[in-house]
Amino acid sequence: MNDLLWIVPILPLLGFLIQYVSAGKLPKLWVSCIGAGSVGLAAIIVALIGIEYLQQTDPVAYTVTLYTWMDVGGFKPGFSFYLDGLSLTMMFVITGVGFLIHLYSTLFMFDDESYARFFAYMNLFVSAMLVLVLADNLLLLYLGWEGVGLCSYLLIGFWHTDAANGLAARKAFVVTRVGDTAMALGLFLLFAHLGTLDIQPMMKLAGETWQTGDTIPTIACLLILGGAVGKSAQLPLQTWLPDAMAGPTPVSALIHAATMVTAGVYLIARTHDLFLLAPAAQMTVALVGLITLIMAACTALTQTDIKRILAYSTISQIGYMFLALGVGAWSAGIFHLMTHAFFKALLFLGAGAVIYSLHHEHDIFKMGGLRTKLPVPFWSFLIGSAALAGFPFITSGFYSKDEILLQAWAYGDMGPWLWAGGAFGALLTAIYSFRLVFIVFFGETRTEPSAPAGWAMAVPLVVLCGLAIVGGWFHVPVDAVFPEASPVRHGGTVFWVTAAIPVLGILIAWMIFLRKSIDVTPLTDSAVGRLVTRFWFSHWAMDWLYDLVLVRPYRWIAAINKDDAVDYVYNGTASLAQFLHRLIGTSQTGQLRWYAATMAAGLVLVIAILMEFI
């Protein structure tokens, strides 16, 4: 099966090329088969590769090299794919969940006039993400990294006739470019000091070259973290993700569950040996994740758009993954990445089914009473929200999130504080996730739904419901990739308190939003309450701050420099050349005596100059 590895990213790439070359002229049935089928075939091949790999008693990582990309001064990066437990897990998530999203899209997007263009972009997105996670060197990884960024721009702004969608796409592109620039600088720094970008040799050389706490690896890790926070929408570059909801709902599911936002988590996990040499940078990863998860959870509590609530929940859950990586719970972070892909894809596709049936309504306060009228979306939301909240013992989200919090507790002197922050975020998660369930599916009906969606949308939801429940029983095959984590107790007081927090959050949401036995109106209607609500609703005024500090000054400078000061230099040079041309042109009189006189004068001048040196 080793020889099949390169086919995995090629299949969706071929799907993109066929859709692109055909220029939308293929029948929609063919477009569906090519778009969803290419990813489905890739998922089958991944399953075959995974079965063979995991059947080994002691699985050995291997590299498949297609060809040498370039050979410059001893620098020989190749188009080479590396398979170990980490890349295998990522491939399962990308192709498996990606296929379900593609299948769902065949019906959800069927009436769109740009049906083929949509699947072309989606296929390219999946292919770029597969290149990213399979790359055995950071240069090839960066190629996939930028490919994912390009596809996010194309898909977020898919409905480009609406100017707001174009602005959202541009915002995502520009904000993530900030992180990408930091990452590129990190790669330059690593190559300058280690002479290679091949990941495995580079990690070995780093351990031989530097000591723990040295300055260079710390700077390199912080620059890599800069790239990770951009792609994974963490503080301070998280502002693009909520606006990414401008794209079609399947795009939101693909970005949030299986591809783009997990890229930063994967990057840090893949370079974990480097972060182990930089404890300050690793702690920064944990603190960034902790602060982001609390900020995003608070914001999700105040949102009214069903997709934006889920967007902020993604930012928050990625924060848990960063917290895990920061405390050295590498396997737990990747485990949560996998379970999050299941229940977040389920929630986004369930939201899409609700929006589809409610004539593209997004406001949760214009919904309600959909529990019996849309049973499949209801059960999808109930199971997905329970997994998101981490309902104990019967949802996948519990096992992965519980592992992260217990590992955080065991992380030295800072452990209890990190655990407390994560536990508070878990409480808020349970409240806002079931706020969504109770408002949308219970109470009186405010918007009458149309007929439920067809099987192409229902089947992925049913499959994801199962994965959101049993996904916590899976073993993530990364034991050989990461160092062994600190042992944790699965039965002490901290364990039971951690398990009880989601139940408490769901109970609070039930009492506030369904039973209404707790009236929070006096609090939210107070002056302080309204101020806090507006502050949280604006995502802690991050967009306002960036607009004030960066956007407005840039526009002011651009207005002052609207004629471009640099052009004055070039225009002046051109004007000087024209003046000299006209001046010299006046000497071209056509008179022989004038030419003879100037030649004689020139000759006298040359002789005089030479006499000075004799």
Side-chain angles (χ1 to χ4, degrees):
M1 289 299 170
N2 296 11
D3 296 336
L4 295 180
L5 186 61
W6 66 274
I7 300 178
V8 176
I10 291 295
L11 282 171
L13 180 61
L14 287 175
F16 158 74
L17 292 174
I18 294 171
Q19 307 280 16
Y20 179 77
V21 171
S22 63
K25 295 179 181 179
L26 292 176
K28 286 190 174 181
L29 179 60
W30 289 25
V31 172
S32 300
C33 292
I34 295 170
S38 61
V39 181
L41 286 174
I44 292 172
I45 293 175
V46 169
L48 295 175
I49 293 172
I51 290 171
E52 181 179 297
Y53 182 83
L54 297 175
Q55 281 179 343
Q56 302 176 47
T57 304
D58 186 16
V60 178
Y62 62 85
T63 300
V64 175
T65 301
L66 301 184
Y67 63 91
T68 300
W69 188 356
M70 62 184 76
D71 186 352
V72 181
F75 178 50
K76 299 180 180 180
F79 267 87
S80 304
F81 299 136
Y82 181 77
L83 183 73
D84 63 356
L86 177 57
S87 55
L88 179 63
T89 301
M90 296 299 296
M91 282 200 299
F92 272 127
V93 170
I94 295 165
T95 59
V97 177
F99 169 67
L100 294 174
I101 295 170
H102 276 70
L103 179 61
Y104 177 97
S105 302
T106 59
L107 178 58
F108 187 90
M109 297 296 295
F110 194 79
D111 294 331
D112 196 283
E113 61 182 12
S114 299
Y115 193 66
R117 180 166 62 90
F118 174 81
F119 278 101
Y121 292 165
M122 292 280 278
N123 282 174
L124 184 60
F125 204 162
V126 171
S127 179
M129 189 66 190
L130 287 169
V131 169
L132 191 159
V133 301
L134 284 172
D136 86 324
N137 64 82
L138 290 177
L139 186 62
L140 185 59
L141 185 151
Y142 196 74
L143 176 66
W145 189 273
E146 291 301 309
V148 168
L150 169 64
C151 294
S152 69
Y153 171 79
L154 296 173
L155 285 167
I156 294 168
F158 180 75
W159 289 317
H160 53 79
T161 53
D162 186 341
N165 296 340
L167 289 173
R170 188 172 67 188
K171 180 178 180 179
F173 194 78
V174 171
V175 172
T176 55
R177 289 294 78 71
V178 175
D180 295 353
T181 302
M183 179 181 170
L185 292 174
L187 300 191
F188 293 149
L189 182 64
L190 289 171
F191 181 75
H193 285 81
L194 300 177
T196 182
L197 289 179
D198 292 339
I199 297 173
Q200 305 309 317
M202 186 181 71
M203 295 298 105
K204 183 179 179 181
L205 278 172
E208 296 171 352
T209 305
W210 296 313
Q211 300 295 321
T212 300
D214 282 353
T215 302
I216 297 300
T218 300
I219 295 173
C221 286
L222 290 174
L223 289 170
I224 290 173
L225 175 60
V229 299
K231 277 291 188 288
S232 291
Q234 297 292 285
L235 188 74
L237 299 178
Q238 79 278 33
T239 57
W240 66 269
L241 191 60
D243 292 339
M245 298 303 97
T249 299
V251 172
S252 303
L254 193 63
I255 289 176
H256 288 245
T259 56
M260 185 168 174
V261 296
T262 61
V265 178
Y266 170 80
L267 176 64
I268 295 175
R270 177 56 77 193
T271 56
H272 67 276
D273 287 328
L274 197 60
F275 278 86
L276 291 174
L277 294 173
Q282 190 175 350
M283 176 53 67
T284 303
V285 174
L287 293 177
V288 165
L290 181 63
I291 296 170
T292 305
L293 75 88
I294 293 175
M295 288 178 61
C298 291
T299 303
L301 275 172
T302 64
Q303 300 297 308
T304 59
D305 185 303
I306 187 171
K307 287 176 65 176
R308 289 183 74 86
I309 294 171
L310 298 178
Y312 283 110
S313 79
T314 297
I315 297 174
S316 184
Q317 295 306 302
I318 298 293
Y320 277 103
M321 299 174 206
F322 270 61
L323 175 61
L325 300 177
V327 300
W330 311 102
S331 298
I334 299 302
F335 187 25
H336 194 56
L337 183 154
M338 181 186 72
T339 61
H340 175 262
F342 298 152
F343 61 72
K344 187 50 60 68
L346 174 61
L347 286 168
F348 265 110
L349 298 186
V354 171
I355 294 168
Y356 185 87
S357 299
L358 294 185
H359 322 291
H360 300 285
E361 179 58 66
H362 285 237
D363 190 341
I364 62 173
F365 290 103
K366 294 181 181 179
M367 302 176 186
L370 301 177
R371 177 167 49 94
T372 56
K373 298 179 179 181
L374 298 175
V376 173
F378 165 67
W379 284 105
S380 299
F381 253 92
L382 185 63
I383 293 171
S385 296
L388 172 61
F391 192 84
F393 306 114
I394 62 172
T395 65
S396 60
F398 163 74
Y399 292 99
S400 55
K401 191 182 295 184
D402 184 72
E403 191 72 22
I404 291 172
L405 292 177
L406 292 179
Q407 291 281 359
W409 175 272
Y411 189 72
D413 295 337
M414 284 288 293
W417 293 102
L418 296 173
W419 174 88
F424 178 62
L427 178 66
L428 295 178
T429 301
I431 295 173
Y432 73 68
S433 58
F434 275 83
R435 167 183 178 258
L436 183 58
V437 172
F438 294 142
I439 291 174
V440 171
F441 294 98
F442 290 83
E444 63 176 287
T445 302
R446 299 177 183 87
T447 302
E448 196 64 33
S450 60
W455 69 268
M457 292 173 66
V459 169
L461 290 174
V462 173
V463 173
L464 288 168
C465 281
L467 291 173
I469 294 173
V470 305
W473 305 346
F474 296 162
H475 172 69
V476 182
V478 293
D479 293 341
V481 179
F482 302 122
E484 186 175 354
S486 303
V488 296
R489 293 183 61 192
H490 290 273
T493 303
V494 176
F495 170 80
W496 289 110
V497 171
T498 304
I501 287 172
V503 179
L504 176 61
I506 295 171
L507 179 62
I508 292 172
W510 175 71
M511 296 177 70
I512 295 175
F513 302 109
L514 186 59
R515 190 179 179 188
K516 301 187 185 300
S517 56
I518 297 178
D519 185 11
V520 295
T521 304
L523 178 62
T524 57
D525 287 350
S526 66
V528 175
R530 288 196 299 270
L531 180 63
V532 171
T533 300
R534 286 198 301 271
F535 183 61
W536 285 359
F537 184 84
S538 67
H539 193 40
W540 300 50
M542 292 292 293
D543 278 319
W544 172 84
L545 178 63
Y546 288 162
D547 186 66
L548 179 67
V549 175
L550 299 173
V551 178
R552 291 183 187 178
Y554 180 83
R555 288 178 174 173
W556 178 75
I557 293 171
I560 293 176
N561 192 37
K562 62 182 179 180
D563 294 325
D564 195 351
V566 176
D567 279 348
Y568 287 123
V569 178
Y570 294 114
N571 291 338
T573 303
S575 298
L576 177 61
Q578 290 174 343
F579 169 75
L580 293 175
H581 172 73
R582 288 193 297 268
L583 183 63
I584 295 174
T586 58
S587 67
Q588 307 302 311
T589 63
Q591 297 178 4
L592 184 60
R593 282 182 291 183
W594 168 254
Y595 293 155
T598 54
M599 290 177 62
L603 182 60
V604 170
L605 180 61
V606 171
I607 293 173
I609 293 173
L610 290 175
M611 292 297 292
E612 289 291 328
F613 294 97
I614 294 176

